[in-house]
Amino acid sequence: MPQVTLTVNGKQHTVEVEGRTLLVELLREKLRLTGTHVGCDTSQCGACVVHVNGDSVKSCTTLAVMCDGAHVTTIEGLAAPDGTLHPMQEAFREYHALQCGFCTPGMVMSAVDLVRKNPQGLSEKEIREGLEGNLCRCTGYHNIVKAIAAAQEVMHGRRASVAAAAE
Amino acid sequence: MNLVTPFEGIGASVKRKEDLRFLSGRGQYTDDINRPGQAYAFILRSPHAHARIAGIETAKAAAMPGVLAVYTSADLAGIGGLPCGWQIHNKDGTPMAEPKHPVLAEGKVRHVGDPVAVVIAETRARARDAAEAVLVDYEVLPAVASMAAAQAPGAPLVHEGVAGNLCYDWHIGDAAQVEAAFAKAAHRVVFETTNNRLVPNAMEPRCAVGDYDTATGEHTLYTTSQNPHVIRLLMGAFVLNIPEAKLRVVAPDVGGGFGSKIYHYAEEAIVTWAAAKLGRPVKWTADRSESFVSDAHGRDHVTRAELALDAEGRFLALKVSTQANMGAYLSTFAPCVPTYLYATLLAGVYTTPAIYAEVKAVFTNTVPVDAYRGAGRPEATFLLERLVDVAAKRCGFDRVELRRKNFISPDAFPYQTPVALQYDSGNYHATLDAALATADWAGFEARRAEAKARGRLRGIGISTYLEACGIAPSAVVGSLGARAGLYEVGTIRVHPTGSVTVLTGAHSHGQGHETTFAQLVADKLGVPIANVEVVHGDTAKVPFGMGTYGSRSLAVGGSAMDKAMDKIIAKGKKIAAHLMEASVEDIEFDRGTFRVAGTDKAKSLTEISLAAYVPHNYPIEELEPGLEETAFYDPKNFTYPGGCHIAEVEIEPETGRVHLVNFTAVDDVGRVINPMIVEGQVQGGVAQGVGQALLEGCVYDADGQLLSGSMLDYTMPRADDLAPVSVATHTTLCTHNPLGVKGCGEVGAIGSPPAVINAVVDALRDWGVEHIEMPATPQKIWSIIHGKSC
Amino acid sequence: MYDFAYHKPATLADAVKLLAADPDAKAVSGGHTLIPALKLRLNKPSALVDLSGIAEMKGIRREGGALVIGALTRHAEVAESAEVKAAIPALAYLAAHIGDVQVRNRGTLGGSVSNNDPAADYPAAVLGLGATVHTSKRKIAADDFFLGMFTTALEPDEILVAISFPIPEKAGYAKMKNPASRYVMAGAFVSKGPMGVRVAINGAGPCVFRQSAMEAALAAQWSPEAVAGIKQDADGLNSDIHGSAEYRAHLVTVMAKRAVAAAG
């Protein structure tokens, strides 16, 4: 069986996998990081989004063996080690951008990548388009879009807190 | 006046208590649960819509590496079929046809996705590998994939013995009175429509883990359910014959339901049974494509309606004839959806004095259909609100004024409709006026002209709707065919030092109960919500419950908690009276403090709870120690939320794409506990309603193959399909529950589809279009524009 | 999915050797075309040969009048490349609109073009710009490369290494997406430059194709109006629940018009 060594949320792991093992299966079943979810089988829903070497990817469409040597961040690794939430997590709570919570980890990870790569700032329309790879069935996206708009202000240092950005 | 600081009682937009675990990846959904020694089940499903099973060869699969067992229906001797929870009676008084719904197919498959065999192996992949080695000898039979095909003369029968594939032929209302009214009508408006079949697609696929303790003989089922006690009752009593005391059902964090996780499904019984049989925990998790053919679908009505109006536009009578698709088997609550959740809503917000509706439920070779967000009420609302627009157009009335003219007036409550329901409260004029103002209805023509200059066709549409929530009382629903009571249970456990645990039979799968219910406690008992824990979803912890669906949690479950809190206060007063040497009648309670009236003598709830658990100085002769109370609340009536939705759309004429550009919702959901959560519920409901109107539709081909069988083919609403939604509430209180609440979970999905389609039809007014069936896809719109303009 | 062996060669030669030795092996880079098919068990390769470690298949460079893009270049890299934006903005635009962000972060040019999904974006640019496909064996003109649905001129042990896009004077791309999958339902890539006037249509038919009547019209007069009146024959076009052949034929004209307008 192939072996992969990868760093997940700052911790290195060496794991035996099958060739067909998906990254999401490695995370959920081998490392028991169950915050990353699987919501579809056609790479549509984005519940499985994690960061691989700084880019958001669908871990259900990535083989574990292809991640040898990679740095992976999952939702469990987004907050600071002392538990302080990332501004995106904070904004999702502040703006009620989650209901059942199932799409939330992937949605948050996608949103973080989207904002990081667009330091110029995103309009409401651009945020909506940037979420093409993430489905939410509960919220109607309205509050997710608001949360991301607020979080980008904090992530780019234009505001001190997501609550302040709300005003 | 409130002692909780900052204010976090009724009416406060408190941030949700549950969010931290979901945002940090520490939610615990069913598939996140892994039991020691767990094996995995894969369900082999029928690729055919209708076939006889001549034989199943499992030996090769059973011998494959890692395979623990392969089971077919032959192995399930003594196990019952999946029960139906509601019995409808035909017009002639005979009961509906209720064919067996086997856990695994018995001799025949009746829809694509019908479970045929289960393979259990050490890993998910190995189970699936082995399932491919199970050889099923199918003799393919002709299928009936639509209600039209199922009702054609000589049509193949889905169930032998169910003639004409007719499950029931039911009616409600006074046909003679309706005919008399039609005879003197100035206008008669006929309207026909199909309410499109939908796939619920909660983001979390269904999952079930069965576990069995050989030492105690206890079974545990972890499952993605909206109502674990109902599953325990149905599965224990009717399918597996396990006494309740030996069966624990846990529905942990559940990733959305929208109705689809109410029902008792075969996979729950399979993993529970197999875990005991194998002595190993067994997990099954649906792939999304599997969900498409195994989760109950929603809607799927074909209806012909006729409205009689007098010369001034007053509605005189309505008659409705509906066919409702049941799919291949009766799902748990399927029969009540097109009857008591649909036809009883046909008065809507209007004073139509005479209504007659008949409903035929039809079996087809498709996935079973059951309640999906709104359940029956969206179908009734779409019918009515399109019909009113069509009537306005044909008879030359203004569509807003026609509605207003026929509204039940605010002073007419309680209002008895001709189709059984009695509305307790509402103010449809107020919600209409507020919505018209917010949406700037009056300024629309200028926006339309501006859009035209940009090459876009702009339209505006309105829907004034009503729904019935919190289905009850038990005695009434029982007389209508429900095989269950529809009360709710709440326990308030005040701990010795004053923190509170709430046990509720309602189940939260996105609704934010852990916050809203804590707010009820904060408001009434004065306990900060940080000190209130809400426990739900576990039959071993919660005494009993009927679960969450039909926007019932707050109206029924919240009222049960309120009653339990009344009992806590009553007992607390007795303890306080003892401690302060006063008479019970003189004790007053207000948010956390027991006071002797007219004095400054007071005891906090914490002092009282401590005395109750450390009863050194305690009226032990008259009162038991402890401070925990349970209440069962059985409502006196449904609740009746209502309101007005206005949609504005723009169409790209070249491609037929419809863009939602504006949406206004003004809803009366009764008293609002947490405005932030209510707004979120409405936003989400509207998204599903817009999805039904513009994007979503289940398509079967004539052979019963599901063409829209994955998220590549079934259009799920995405962020860029939707637009900002303006949500406001206008409250009239429910008169018969202690909280005055009505329910907000479904209003968005009920009110919005006709508003959107009315807007699309309005956008195409130059083409003389009268109706467009849902979903109004680009191709459909293009065909209309193309067909008329060329 | 079915299990398979996994190889990650460091050189092109080793990759070719692995593919030549095993006719059931398949090449993979980003995996965003292959892995979904594997998950649905539509495909049962004995081994996957992961090309992502091969340095010679990477990079974006200007070579005379052409832009040469390595097969391993991810869509996001093409979309963000200053070189591509300057030379062929329509190509950067196309790459920026493939699938979703996560697809663009993993999917590669070579993977998309080798697979030749009728609903993919890149084949329209390759054909619409008259690009040349460089493989481990030879150079293939775009006009000779796309043979049919999911079929190209590539041989089983032949690997797409890079694509050379001639830099046009003008180019534009427009597409209508399938509402559910968001793949291309009908798209048009138009260009005017060293390879003449070219109109490539994707999504609408079983394979990307050139629309010669539109090319002639645009050669005569480069304007959206020039193609507005040209109807695409619906015969042979794809048809599904979201778009009939007739609807797609109509969209071809609309998208061509929009692509020309975008090209300026």
Side-chain angles (χ1 to χ4, degrees):
Chain A
M1 285 229 279
Q3 220 178 38
V4 291
T5 298
L6 71 181
T7 304
V8 181
N9 302 331
K11 199 173 153 198
Q12 200 180 75
H13 300 268
T14 298
V15 190
E16 278 206 342
V17 295
E18 288 186 302
R20 61 177 163 179
T21 303
L22 297 166
L23 176 58
V24 70
E25 292 168 342
L26 182 151
L27 294 171
R28 287 182 56 81
E29 289 165 24
K30 304 271 181 185
L31 305 184
R32 292 290 187 237
L33 290 169
T34 54
T36 302
H37 297 150
V38 177
C40 80
D41 50 3
T42 52
S43 313
Q44 301 278 299
C45 82
C48 67
V49 169
V50 299
H51 295 175
V52 176
N53 298 329
D55 292 327
S56 64
V57 307
K58 291 186 172 171
S59 62
C60 77
T61 312
T62 304
L63 296 175
V65 284
M66 297 171 103
C67 297
D68 194 38
H71 284 260
V72 176
T73 306
T74 70
I75 189 72
E76 289 93 340
L78 191 61
D82 70 353
T84 305
L85 293 181
H86 184 279
M88 190 62 74
Q89 292 169 306
E90 197 57 65
F92 267 58
R93 180 171 147 81
E94 182 72 24
Y95 291 86
H96 186 31
L98 64 154
Q99 291 182 21
C100 81
F102 193 80
C103 78
T104 306
M107 195 68 81
V108 167
M109 297 309 283
S110 286
V112 168
D113 186 39
L114 185 67
V115 169
R116 275 187 192 155
K117 293 201 176 134
N118 290 279
Q120 78 288 358
L122 294 154
S123 67
E124 183 214 319
K125 183 169 180 282
E126 287 165 335
I127 293 170
R128 287 182 182 273
E129 287 169 358
L131 294 178
E132 182 165 354
N134 292 79
L135 293 173
C136 169
R137 193 57 152 165
C138 292
T139 63
Y141 305 98
H142 183 87
N143 290 342
I144 292 175
V145 174
K146 276 180 15 188
I148 295 171
Q152 69 177 349
E153 297 302 302
V154 177
M155 287 173 67
H156 298 318
R158 293 191 282 262
R159 298 256 188 170
S161 78
V162 292
E167 285 143 21
Chain B
M1 77 184 227
N2 196 293
L3 302 180
V4 178
T5 312
F7 178 58
E8 52 187 21
I10 290 174
S13 283
V14 175
K15 305 301 174 214
R16 299 203 319 171
K17 284 166 66 79
E18 43 272 85
D19 285 356
L20 185 60
R21 69 174 188 275
F22 293 140
L23 282 165
S24 54
R26 290 179 305 201
Q28 191 169 49
Y29 300 87
T30 307
D31 193 50
D32 301 341
I33 292 170
N34 293 291
R35 306 295 300 159
Q38 176 177 289
Y40 295 84
F42 181 83
I43 312 278
L44 180 66
R45 299 179 183 278
S46 172
H48 305 293
H50 198 195
R52 203 173 307 287
I53 298 174
I56 306 178
E57 180 48 65
T58 61
K60 192 178 159 208
M64 284 176 65
V67 173
L68 300 169
V70 183
Y71 299 119
T72 68
S73 63
D75 300 294
L76 301 181
I79 288 178
L82 301 174
C84 179
W86 201 295
Q87 185 181 50
I88 296 296
H89 285 79
N90 292 305
K91 287 172 180 168
D92 65 7
T94 57
M96 68 183 188
E98 195 174 350
K100 184 178 181 185
H101 185 179
V103 169
L104 291 172
E106 293 174 354
K108 206 174 154 183
V109 288
R110 295 183 175 86
H111 67 87
V112 170
D114 209 355
V116 173
V118 55
V119 180
I120 297 167
E122 296 291 349
T123 69
R124 218 179 290 244
R126 294 239 188 254
R128 189 166 176 179
D129 291 344
E132 293 184 8
V134 175
L135 300 175
V136 185
D137 183 6
Y138 291 108
E139 290 167 9
V140 177
L141 300 169
V144 287
S146 67
M147 290 192 283
Q151 294 180 93
L157 294 182
V158 179
H159 298 275
E160 289 82 0
V162 179
N165 294 311
L166 187 66
C167 175
Y168 58 72
D169 181 9
W170 172 92
H171 67 161
I172 190 169
D174 187 333
Q177 193 192 359
V178 166
E179 288 311 323
F182 267 90
K184 56 181 188 198
H187 306 281
R188 300 172 64 135
V189 179
V190 175
F191 174 64
E192 293 181 351
T193 189
T194 296
N195 204 278
N196 45 328
R197 184 180 181 116
L198 303 176
V199 181
N201 274 321
M203 289 316 302
E204 178 202 27
R206 281 194 301 115
C207 177
V209 183
D211 201 353
Y212 180 67
D213 186 329
T214 50
T216 62
E218 282 177 358
H219 303 259
T220 303
L221 169 68
Y222 302 89
T223 183
T224 49
S225 176
Q226 301 176 214
N227 33 226
H229 289 87
V230 174
I231 302 305
R232 184 180 66 170
L233 177 69
L234 294 173
M235 185 175 80
F238 297 96
V239 186
L240 298 180
N241 292 310
I242 303 170
E244 277 104 326
K246 288 289 186 193
L247 175 57
R248 176 183 175 198
V249 178
V250 183
D253 287 328
V254 172
F258 315 112
S260 69
K261 293 172 181 167
I262 298 172
Y263 323 117
H264 176 36
Y265 287 99
E267 298 85 0
E268 294 170 320
I270 289 170
V271 298
T272 306
W273 175 83
K277 178 108 175 158
L278 290 170
R280 299 263 309 258
V282 176
K283 176 189 275 190
W284 167 81
T285 308
D287 282 338
R288 176 60 59 182
S289 305
E290 191 177 9
S291 306
F292 272 89
V293 294
S294 67
D295 293 3
H297 293 176
R299 318 279 192 260
D300 205 347
H301 286 191
V302 174
T303 294
R304 182 183 193 278
E306 191 170 4
L307 180 68
L309 302 89
D310 71 13
E312 283 76 46
R314 280 185 201 86
F315 302 160
L316 301 176
L318 173 67
K319 58 182 168 185
V320 172
S321 177
T322 291
Q323 297 162 33
N325 199 338
M326 294 286 106
Y329 302 101
L330 292 179
S331 175
T332 311
F333 290 110
C336 83
V337 177
T339 49
Y340 295 107
L341 295 179
Y342 164 74
T344 53
L345 270 292
L346 288 169
V349 291
Y350 308 116
T351 55
T352 317
I355 298 173
Y356 176 73
E358 51 188 354
V359 179
K360 283 184 179 171
V362 180
F363 288 112
T364 59
N365 292 113
T366 63
V367 172
V369 180
D370 206 325
Y372 164 64
R373 200 169 195 170
R377 292 151 288 167
E379 295 91 315
T381 302
F382 186 76
L383 177 68
L384 275 180
E385 291 306 294
R386 283 267 54 239
L387 178 54
V388 171
D389 259 32
V390 169
K393 190 172 229 172
R394 280 195 212 161
C395 308
F397 298 111
D398 176 82
R399 51 191 164 144
V400 174
E401 290 316 308
L402 185 62
R403 285 176 166 84
R404 215 191 289 270
K405 177 174 284 180
N406 287 284
F407 275 169
I408 298 160
S409 88
D411 57 10
F413 296 94
Y415 178 81
Q416 178 63 50
T417 75
V419 274
L421 300 181
Q422 191 187 72
Y423 306 160
D424 64 330
S425 66
N427 188 340
Y428 313 127
H429 293 272
T431 47
L432 172 70
D433 291 340
L436 290 174
T438 306
D440 186 22
W441 181 273
F444 171 72
E445 289 306 321
R447 296 193 293 280
R448 180 175 161 93
E450 183 276 331
K452 195 171 180 183
R454 285 185 281 113
R456 295 275 186 106
L457 306 169
R458 192 160 173 131
I460 194 166
I462 191 167
S463 152
T464 50
Y465 77 95
L466 167 139
E467 65 149 324
C469 293
I471 177 170
S474 294
V476 171
V477 296
S479 74
L480 302 179
R483 289 163 167 162
L486 283 164
Y487 48 84
E488 198 45 85
V489 186
T491 296
I492 302 292
R493 179 178 295 158
V494 183
H495 296 284
T497 59
S499 64
V500 172
T501 298
V502 178
L503 309 176
T504 173
H507 184 279
S508 188
H509 33 279
Q511 294 87 345
H513 292 173
E514 289 166 43
T515 306
T516 302
F517 292 171
Q519 287 181 262
L520 296 182
V521 176
D523 199 82
K524 189 148 178 163
L525 297 185
V527 179
I529 67 166
N531 292 346
V532 182
E533 285 305 311
V534 176
V535 173
H536 62 90
D538 186 343
T539 62
K541 294 178 180 167
V542 178
F544 201 74
M546 296 309 295
T548 285
Y549 40 83
S551 307
R552 71 191 298 275
S553 302
L554 192 57
V556 191
S559 295
M561 276 171 236
D562 192 70
K563 265 185 76 178
M565 285 192 282
D566 285 340
K567 293 187 189 179
I568 291 283
I569 293 167
K571 183 169 181 180
K573 281 182 177 176
K574 289 181 188 166
I575 301 168
H578 175 86
L579 292 176
M580 295 188 281
E581 296 172 336
S583 96
V584 173
E585 292 70 38
D586 290 339
I587 304 293
E588 293 172 342
F589 179 77
D590 183 35
R591 291 189 174 96
T593 305
F594 293 89
R595 240 174 247 290
V596 181
T599 74
D600 56 2
K601 282 165 80 177
K603 291 278 179 193
S604 69
L605 178 64
T606 305
E607 289 171 287
I608 298 302
S609 61
L610 195 61
Y613 287 96
V614 188
H616 296 163
N617 174 18
Y618 194 80
I620 202 81
E621 301 294 324
E622 303 117 57
L623 216 53
E624 292 170 12
L627 197 54
E628 170 170 333
E629 297 289 348
T630 293
F632 283 56
Y633 176 75
D634 200 298
K636 297 181 188 73
N637 192 356
F638 289 76
T639 65
Y640 299 97
C644 179
H645 289 185
I646 295 176
E648 211 161 316
V649 301
E650 283 189 3
I651 294 174
E652 282 178 42
E654 279 189 323
T655 61
R657 262 192 83 173
V658 179
H659 300 263
L660 181 70
V661 292
N662 206 349
F663 196 97
T664 303
V666 179
D667 301 297
D668 176 1
V669 299
R671 175 168 281 130
V672 173
I673 309 300
N674 184 319
M676 176 191 82
I677 288 177
V678 168
E679 186 184 331
Q681 289 292 309
V682 175
Q683 296 275 3
V686 168
Q688 286 179 5
V690 172
Q692 168 162 30
L694 296 180
L695 306 168
E696 301 178 44
C698 202
V699 184
Y700 277 98
D701 73 9
D703 296 326
Q705 291 294 330
L706 181 59
L707 300 181
S708 54
S710 82
M711 285 183 172
L712 289 170
D713 307 297
Y714 184 90
T715 311
M716 288 285 286
R718 302 195 202 212
D720 60 1
D721 288 318
L722 297 161
V725 173
S726 155
V727 176
T729 53
H730 182 281
T731 300
T732 65
L733 296 179
C734 171
T735 61
H736 58 78
N737 66 42
L739 298 170
V741 299
K742 296 185 177 180
C744 67
E746 296 165 296
V747 292
I750 290 169
S752 60
V756 174
I757 294 297
N758 286 343
V760 174
V761 169
D762 183 51
L764 296 175
R765 62 171 96 136
D766 294 346
W767 278 264
V769 176
E770 196 168 73
H771 179 55
I772 293 165
E773 294 286 17
M774 300 187 288
T777 60
Q779 174 168 241
K780 205 176 277 177
I781 302 295
W782 170 78
S783 310
I784 290 165
I785 294 173
H786 181 81
K788 300 281 181 180
S789 64
C790 289
Chain C
M1 63 185 97
Y2 302 104
D3 203 11
F4 43 76
Y6 173 78
H7 308 288
K8 192 172 178 184
T11 68
L12 185 60
D14 285 349
V16 169
K17 220 178 287 171
L18 285 162
L19 288 170
D22 181 355
D24 294 327
K26 273 198 165 299
V28 65
S29 50
H32 272 50
T33 298
L34 184 60
I35 294 171
L38 295 180
K39 285 169 69 179
L40 296 172
R41 299 195 168 212
L42 299 174
N43 223 318
K44 197 175 181 175
S46 55
L48 291 193
V49 178
D50 183 351
L51 307 177
S52 63
I54 302 173
E56 59 212 276
M57 291 173 66
K58 293 178 181 169
I60 298 171
R61 61 188 187 276
R62 183 93 178 242
E63 274 183 15
L67 204 55
V68 180
I69 304 180
L72 291 177
T73 313
R74 295 176 297 141
H75 308 329
E77 293 173 298
V78 174
E80 291 307 314
S81 159
E83 194 95 56
V84 178
K85 282 182 182 170
I88 319 178
L91 186 61
Y93 172 87
L94 175 145
H97 290 82
I98 298 174
D100 54 48
V101 174
Q102 292 74 34
V103 168
R104 297 195 286 274
N105 281 341
R106 294 290 295 176
T108 65
L109 171 67
S112 169
V113 173
S114 305
N115 188 56
N116 193 22
D117 187 320
D121 292 272
Y122 264 134
V126 174
L127 190 63
L129 287 165
T132 300
V133 177
H134 299 217
T135 79
S136 51
K137 288 187 178 168
R138 56 190 165 140
K139 292 179 181 176
I140 309 172
D143 287 326
D144 302 324
F145 185 81
F146 301 105
L147 301 184
M149 196 189 303
F150 296 107
T151 312
T152 69
L154 288 175
E155 289 164 13
D157 61 346
E158 187 174 16
I159 295 171
L160 195 163
V161 176
I163 296 177
S164 168
F165 294 95
I167 296 168
E169 285 168 43
K170 290 170 182 231
Y173 180 59
K175 64 175 171 179
M176 175 83 172
K177 293 189 244 185
N178 175 311
S181 70
R182 301 292 181 102
Y183 284 98
V184 184
M185 194 149 76
F189 196 105
V190 302
S191 79
K192 178 184 182 182
M195 304 304 289
V197 170
R198 298 173 74 95
V199 177
I201 304 299
N202 58 341
C207 179
V208 62
F209 63 91
R210 289 176 66 181
Q211 223 295 356
S212 46
M214 289 183 184
E215 289 179 350
L218 287 174
Q221 186 212 340
W222 182 269
S223 75
E225 295 72 38
V227 292
I230 298 177
K231 287 198 185 344
Q232 166 68 39
D233 186 357
D235 203 26
L237 295 192
N238 300 336
S239 185
D240 59 31
I241 58 175
H242 296 287
S244 65
E246 291 70 28
Y247 181 49
R248 281 182 154 90
H250 166 82
L251 289 176
V252 165
T253 304
V254 176
M255 294 306 133
K257 209 170 80 177
R258 290 183 181 182
V260 176

